[in-house]
Amino acid sequence: MLYKHKNSAFKLSLLTSLVLSGHAIANDTQDDLPLEKIAVYGQHHKNYITEEAQSATKLGLTIKETPQSISVVSRALMDDFSLDDINAVLESTPGVTVEQIETDRTYFKARGFEITNFLIDGLGTPQSSGSIQGTLDTAIYDRVEIVRGANGMMTGAGNPSATVNMVLKKPTYTTQANASASYGSWNNKRVDIDVSAPINDEHAVRAVFTKQDKESYLDRYETDKTIAYLAYEGKLTNDTLLSINYVNQQKDADSPLWGALPLYYTDGSPTDYDESTSTAADWSYWDNSAERIYVTLEQNLSATWVAKARYAHIKNEQNSELFYVYGTPDKDTGLGLTGYASRYDYKDTQDLFDLYASGKFELFSLEHDLSFGISQANMDFNDQSLYDYSTGNGFPAMPDLATWDGIAPEATLVDKPNGSDVQNTQRSAYVSTRIKLAEPLSILAGVRYTDWETKGTAYDVVQTRDDSELIPYIGTVYDFTESLSAYASYTETFVPQKELDINAEQLAPVIGKSAEVGLKAQLLGEQVFVTLAYFDAKQDGLAVALPGSLPSDTRYYAADGINSDGFEIEVSGRLTDDLSASISFSNLSIDGDELVKDYTPENQLKMAATYQVPFIDGLTLGANYRWQDSISRVQVKDPAGNALVTTKQGAYGLLDLMATYEITQNVGVTFNVNNSTDEKYINSLYWAQGYYGAPRNYSLSVNWQL
């Protein structure tokens, strides 16, 4: 089994004062024709502003019209700084913390809570935890949308953290093609090919292929990744559009981390291994594969109404033999650790269906928006864990990690088979509307009813759950001018619980509540987008074990969970004719869980910018900087609860640099330097163990476009 282990009133009044005293801007948008396809060609000047995002509502609203914090990582930003996986993308996202706990498993957090909702083109289901195994490559995505806070209208279940929506590349109606080949530190080789072409005026296809093979700064760790993507789009009639998308991703990892390094010695002092030190055995592996099919049928009902039916079939598989190291080493000898071998196999399938209609209606001489629909998700997963309790090779005593070469006795992994067989069903019905009370003032309101049912067992624990929740959404937007608006919103989410109370009845779901107020502005001829937001989020009804409960029959009571509040500032877009940038600062205060508070950075600064050098035609320079303040984790306490051993990671910043030169209109070269200052840092203190981030590294790519 793969597991181990304020002042709010002042902040709110300050931001409200800013809202009420603001001057302003406006977005004079035209009515969207549902089947009109608009493609933008020519990427010689790249901009980091994106106005579109469909992850918060299904009302066809722009980011400025949506009363919630939304960040969009554009294709341009991903290309400039080689943000080739979702980890790298979210590291550049305001207010998101990437908890890289192992080489092939990562957790993501926002506003103090795990992110459990990951969507592709708006379709997906909440995960039981926020971890992503194997990492998700970004080669097939046009952009990544991140809605921070609770997102009850789109997902229903989940935490009041964020929703990540990865938007697939779409076929284009003019022929375009691009390719790149790169080589970097630790023998990192990658090829990307992206071709799109029309079949005729009404049908088009697109294909993306990526192959990456690389070693690592970590001892023995190697990966081999292949991604294939096919997309079709075509008009069946003048009013009917069909889209079909197929994704196949395979990532094979040799000698991956399961767990990480011990962070302190028996005397309480911190360990300080080389960045390359790994606890993975030379025979260990972790292979991940994913196959997905998406079908969308879009029907134009009138000039302002459209209906969409969407279906997705998703299959994920994992196969692995892993080696974990636990214990506390002696400072002088490095001894005292024990190895732990396990085989883990996992498979899940998901069938997702969503049907909705959206459009506009007139009332009191004003135009309003309405969307309503139903959805269902069927999710089955099973896994199995195997161990070696018989041969003596399953739990070997370890030598000093500082000198270990990865050679460990190969275990016979057949003992104590254990695992899960769980079925989840989620059914939802939802409606949302935007009512214009006056030309500058609009109200957004919605409700989503979700029924969640779980059956099965996981590691001998019954998983039966049956919950129904009605999730509200309310928001308002006031346009001071065409360019400046103020907004406020409140929404909820829920997470089903299997724990039983003192009367042996299932506890009600955990309710996540999220409130937010802010300002949004488009400046400099609508080339720059600015967002200022204050938020307050909390959990109600979290299961906590009753004191004195028997381990064999633990009972629980509902308690308050984490409460977080803070603010976020984001500026993105084209600042001058030559300078594009994305800049954000986030502040977060957490109450209710000291452990989470300690290992979550309170402040984060993230900046990415590219500058087209005016006196050297074709040369673009760029920098991507991420800074966070200090974090810590209490490792050992005395009986009175006082900290005896604490791991600390001081504040640090990572600076990536890039330079691109266009040799011709079609051919260019890009040189990237990551962690240019060679900062040594622990990736995460989410777990009691941790490992170091990559030291300074380089890559050179040759890029071609038609």
Side-chain angles (χ1 to χ4, degrees):
M1 183 177 184
L2 282 183
Y3 72 95
K4 298 172 286 287
H5 9 134
K6 108 189 13 167
N7 196 334
S8 301
F10 173 76
K11 294 179 183 176
L12 182 57
S13 63
L14 174 62
L15 191 55
T16 303
S17 299
L18 289 171
V19 171
L20 295 178
S21 64
H23 295 284
I25 298 184
N27 193 12
D28 188 13
T29 58
Q30 297 179 348
D31 294 346
D32 294 329
L33 294 177
L35 295 186
E36 181 183 7
K37 297 299 166 185
I38 301 173
V40 179
Y41 306 106
Q43 296 296 319
H44 293 289
H45 182 87
K46 297 178 178 179
N47 198 355
Y48 294 159
I49 187 172
T50 303
E51 295 184 39
E52 261 186 59
Q54 296 296 315
S55 302
T57 71
K58 293 179 177 177
L59 294 172
L61 307 180
T62 65
I63 294 176
K64 182 173 170 290
E65 294 171 325
T66 305
Q68 216 164 339
S69 293
I70 304 175
S71 295
V72 180
V73 179
S74 66
R75 184 72 252 172
L77 185 60
M78 289 187 271
D79 288 340
D80 283 341
F81 296 102
S82 298
L83 308 182
D84 293 331
D85 59 49
I86 199 65
N87 293 16
V89 166
L90 293 180
E91 281 177 345
S92 299
T93 300
V96 175
T97 304
V98 177
E99 303 287 0
Q100 185 76 54
I101 56 172
E102 298 166 335
T103 53
D104 289 75
R105 178 163 46 176
T106 311
Y107 290 82
F108 306 94
K109 299 189 68 180
R111 300 184 173 180
F113 306 91
E114 279 186 25
I115 301 174
T116 58
N117 284 308
F118 294 87
L119 313 179
I120 294 180
D121 274 3
L123 275 179
T125 57
Q127 302 175 175
S128 57
S129 72
S131 67
I132 294 291
Q133 284 84 41
T135 70
L136 298 174
D137 199 274
T138 57
I140 63 176
Y141 302 119
D142 176 70
R143 63 185 185 273
V144 178
E145 304 171 351
I146 302 96
V147 181
R148 292 186 294 283
N151 194 9
M153 278 310 302
M154 290 292 288
T155 58
N159 293 323
S161 51
T163 298
V164 179
N165 183 31
M166 295 160 278
V167 180
L168 292 167
K169 291 178 175 178
K170 303 298 188 291
T172 58
Y173 288 86
T174 62
T175 300
Q176 66 176 39
N178 59 74
S180 68
S182 64
Y183 182 82
S185 300
W186 311 299
N187 204 24
N188 182 0
K189 302 181 290 290
R190 181 181 173 103
V191 175
D192 292 280
I193 302 172
D194 182 356
V195 180
S196 184
I199 300 173
N200 54 39
D201 290 342
E202 296 183 341
H203 302 268
V205 293
R206 188 165 188 166
V208 177
F209 176 80
T210 294
K211 180 70 174 179
Q212 184 174 24
D213 181 75
K214 65 176 181 178
E215 298 171 12
S216 171
Y217 69 98
L218 291 170
D219 295 335
R220 302 175 293 283
Y221 181 53
E222 300 180 24
T223 57
D224 184 359
K225 182 165 58 175
T226 305
I227 299 98
Y229 171 63
L230 297 172
Y232 160 81
E233 180 181 279
K235 284 188 176 182
L236 304 184
T237 71
N238 287 336
D239 295 319
T240 308
L241 188 73
L242 175 66
S243 300
I244 302 174
N245 307 87
Y246 172 78
V247 181
N248 190 300
Q249 176 171 312
Q250 177 74 40
K251 182 183 179 183
D252 298 337
D254 292 333
S255 297
L257 286 176
W258 182 33
L261 302 172
L263 296 177
Y264 62 96
Y265 292 111
T266 52
D267 66 356
S269 61
T271 57
D272 187 20
Y273 295 103
D274 291 337
E275 288 123 315
S276 62
T277 306
S278 170
T279 59
D282 57 359
W283 47 259
S284 61
Y285 67 92
W286 193 344
D287 298 341
N288 286 266
S289 65
E291 190 172 29
R292 304 183 178 97
I293 299 174
Y294 299 88
V295 181
T296 301
L297 189 65
E298 184 175 335
Q299 179 66 42
N300 189 10
L301 302 175
S302 70
T304 59
W305 276 87
V306 63
K308 284 188 180 183
R310 301 186 298 171
Y311 168 76
H313 178 74
I314 301 170
K315 182 171 68 174
N316 299 299
E317 292 189 33
Q318 298 179 39
N319 298 286
S320 63
E321 291 189 2
L322 300 169
F323 193 72
Y324 176 60
V325 173
Y326 65 94
T328 307
D330 179 81
K331 188 173 184 177
D332 295 326
T333 66
L335 303 179
L337 300 173
T338 302
Y340 167 27
S342 175
R343 178 178 176 86
Y344 180 75
D345 298 315
Y346 172 92
K347 180 179 180 180
D348 79 52
T349 58
Q350 303 175 25
D351 288 286
L352 315 175
F353 177 74
D354 186 36
L355 173 64
Y356 74 96
S358 63
K360 299 179 182 295
F361 65 95
E362 286 192 7
L363 187 66
F364 304 122
S365 301
L366 292 172
E367 193 172 60
H368 316 280
D369 302 275
L370 178 66
S371 176
F372 55 90
I374 57 174
S375 64
Q376 178 164 322
N378 299 315
M379 304 153 280
D380 300 330
F381 77 87
N382 57 73
D383 62 3
Q384 184 181 63
S385 295
L386 300 171
Y387 311 93
D388 181 356
Y389 293 102
S390 306
T391 70
N393 293 337
F395 297 88
M398 294 294 296
D400 184 359
L401 287 179
T403 58
W404 184 47
D405 58 5
I407 296 176
E410 195 154 352
T412 303
L413 300 171
V414 296
D415 295 335
K416 197 181 179 182
N418 208 338
S420 306
D421 186 3
V422 178
Q423 301 82 43
N424 294 291
T425 302
Q426 178 181 260
R427 300 179 182 91
S428 297
Y430 51 88
V431 60
S432 61
T433 186
R434 179 177 69 156
I435 303 294
K436 285 207 167 186
L437 301 181
E439 201 52 54
L441 177 63
S442 60
I443 298 291
L444 279 82
V447 65
R448 183 183 187 100
Y449 173 81
T450 297
D451 179 81
W452 184 289
E453 183 180 3
T454 299
K455 298 179 180 178
T457 60
Y459 294 85
D460 300 324
V461 177
V462 175
Q463 300 294 304
T464 301
R465 292 177 292 185
D466 192 354
D467 290 299
S468 299
E469 287 295 326
L470 197 65
I471 300 298
Y473 182 98
I474 185 71
T476 183
V477 177
Y478 185 85
D479 295 322
F480 291 107
T481 70
E482 291 185 351
S483 302
L484 177 66
S485 63
Y487 72 91
S489 64
Y490 172 84
T491 187
E492 297 180 358
T493 60
F494 77 100
V495 177
Q497 301 187 101
K498 63 180 182 295
E499 289 81 5
L500 302 179
D501 65 14
I502 190 67
N503 299 313
E505 295 181 355
Q506 180 186 339
L507 284 177
V510 181
I511 301 298
K513 302 178 180 181
S514 180
E516 184 174 327
V517 295
L519 290 169
K520 294 183 181 182
Q522 287 181 274
L523 309 173
L524 302 180
E526 299 190 350
Q527 291 293 305
V528 175
F529 204 95
V530 180
T531 302
L532 169 63
Y534 167 78
F535 62 87
D536 192 305
K538 64 179 180 179
Q539 287 177 324
D540 288 340
L542 184 67
V544 175
L546 283 166
S549 290
L550 297 175
S552 59
D553 187 23
T554 305
R555 298 300 172 90
Y556 298 81
Y557 68 96
D560 290 339
I562 291 174
N563 193 133
S564 69
D565 71 283
F567 65 88
E568 297 160 346
I569 304 170
E570 183 178 10
V571 180
S572 62
R574 187 175 176 178
L575 303 181
T576 71
D577 288 343
D578 301 313
L579 178 64
S580 290
S582 176
I583 306 167
S584 69
F585 179 82
S586 59
N587 167 270
L588 175 65
S589 178
I590 295 175
D591 290 320
D593 193 318
E594 288 299 314
L595 178 63
V596 175
K597 180 178 180 178
D598 288 346
Y599 71 67
T600 303
E602 183 176 349
N603 298 295
Q604 291 181 305
L605 173 67
K606 301 182 180 183
M607 300 186 295
T610 56
Y611 178 68
Q612 292 183 327
V613 181
F615 48 86
I616 303 179
D617 189 37
L619 177 63
T620 300
L621 303 177
N624 186 12
Y625 181 71
R626 289 96 62 209
W627 175 89
Q628 68 173 50
D629 60 10
S630 60
I631 57 175
S632 63
R633 183 185 182 97
V634 175
Q635 301 277 18
V636 181
K637 295 181 179 180
D638 64 17
N642 301 308
L644 295 179
V645 178
T646 301
T647 299
K648 297 180 180 180
Q649 169 60 60
Y652 66 92
L654 300 177
L655 177 62
D656 301 339
L657 303 174
M658 62 82 67
T660 294
Y661 182 70
E662 294 181 357
I663 301 172
T664 70
Q665 187 176 4
N666 305 103
V667 179
V669 293
T670 300
F671 182 62
N672 292 87
V673 184
N674 298 318
N675 192 5
S676 60
T677 59
D678 205 23
E679 186 81 24
K680 185 177 182 180
Y681 62 99
I682 301 172
N683 276 306
S684 172
L685 294 179
Y686 184 85
W687 281 354
Q689 297 179 328
Y691 73 106
Y692 299 105
R696 183 189 298 119
N697 60 94
Y698 310 88
S699 67
L700 179 67
S701 63
V702 179
N703 314 300
W704 170 86
Q705 70 174 4
L706 184 64

